[in-house]
Structure formats: C-alpha cells, structure tokens
Amino acid sequence: MLTLTCPCCGVTVEETELAPGGEAHLKRFGPGSTDAEFETYMFARKNPKGVHFERWRHAYGCGKWFLAARCTVTWEVFGTYPAQTSEPPAELIAKIKEKRPGWEGWK
C-alpha cells in the first residue's frame, strides 16, 4: 500500500484516501501552440522504471493537490511538496541522489 503525507494538512494517509492526477511538472500547451506541442502535452507521458514525480489530491481530507516523488519499482516515497512548486525542492533532490547515486535528475 502506498502511503503519502499531505504537505498541506500534514496527515499521512494510504492511497485509498487520495486521487491520482498523473505526471507532475508537465509543460502545458494551449491556444497558440503548434499541433506537435499540443500533441506532446496531451499524449506523451514518461513511464519510468524508478524515480517518478506525480500529482495527488487529498480527496477524503483537505481536498488539496500536492506533488510526490516516489520509486515506481519499490514504491518507496522520497517526499511530498505543495503543488504550486514549479520544480522539486533541492532537499528532496539531494535525498533522492543520496539513495539513488546513478539517478540523472528529474527533467
């Protein structure tokens, strides 16, 4: 069972209280974008074996969106942070690199 801590209300919950929102840190394209850019935004998603950044909503709690970094292989959660963050916090990146020395980064 995946267990995440909501950074908004501080409650640690199982994934049954959360709603997944897909990949985090996507560059969104809308009106005025090229067809290729819009297609990439709509359909191209990473599906890594390893560290992944995702969006989650605390559906049965505070109702707020947040972001989480976790390993898709081991289900290890490295941390969570507010959804308004444009990139993962430096301390979270350092924590991931400490546990996964060969990790190349989040971009």
Side-chain angles (χ1 to χ4, degrees):
M1 179 70 60
L2 187 62
T3 304
L4 299 171
T5 300
C6 177
C8 304
C9 63
V11 177
T12 300
V13 296
E14 294 179 347
E15 64 184 298
T16 55
E17 280 197 37
L18 305 168
E23 186 177 338
H25 304 293
L26 292 176
K27 180 169 175 52
R28 287 158 173 76
F29 292 97
S33 63
T34 66
D35 289 342
E37 289 172 331
F38 190 68
E39 178 187 19
T40 300
Y41 164 66
M42 286 296 292
F43 304 110
R45 296 289 185 265
K46 295 177 186 171
N47 188 16
K49 182 176 182 179
V51 179
H52 188 55
F53 295 87
E54 303 169 322
R55 299 175 66 228
W56 290 89
R57 182 172 163 265
H58 193 178
Y60 294 105
C62 65
K64 299 200 176 175
W65 286 95
F66 64 92
L67 306 177
R70 71 176 185 94
C71 180
T72 59
V73 177
T74 63
W75 287 46
E76 176 183 9
V77 176
F78 297 105
T80 59
Y81 52 103
Q84 295 77 17
T85 309
S86 60
E87 60 185 49
E91 59 272 6
L92 181 60
I93 296 293
K95 182 178 179 181
I96 295 169
K97 286 185 176 182
E98 181 183 313
K99 292 186 175 191
R100 303 282 194 284
W103 185 60
E104 295 180 8
W106 68 277
K107 290 187 180 185

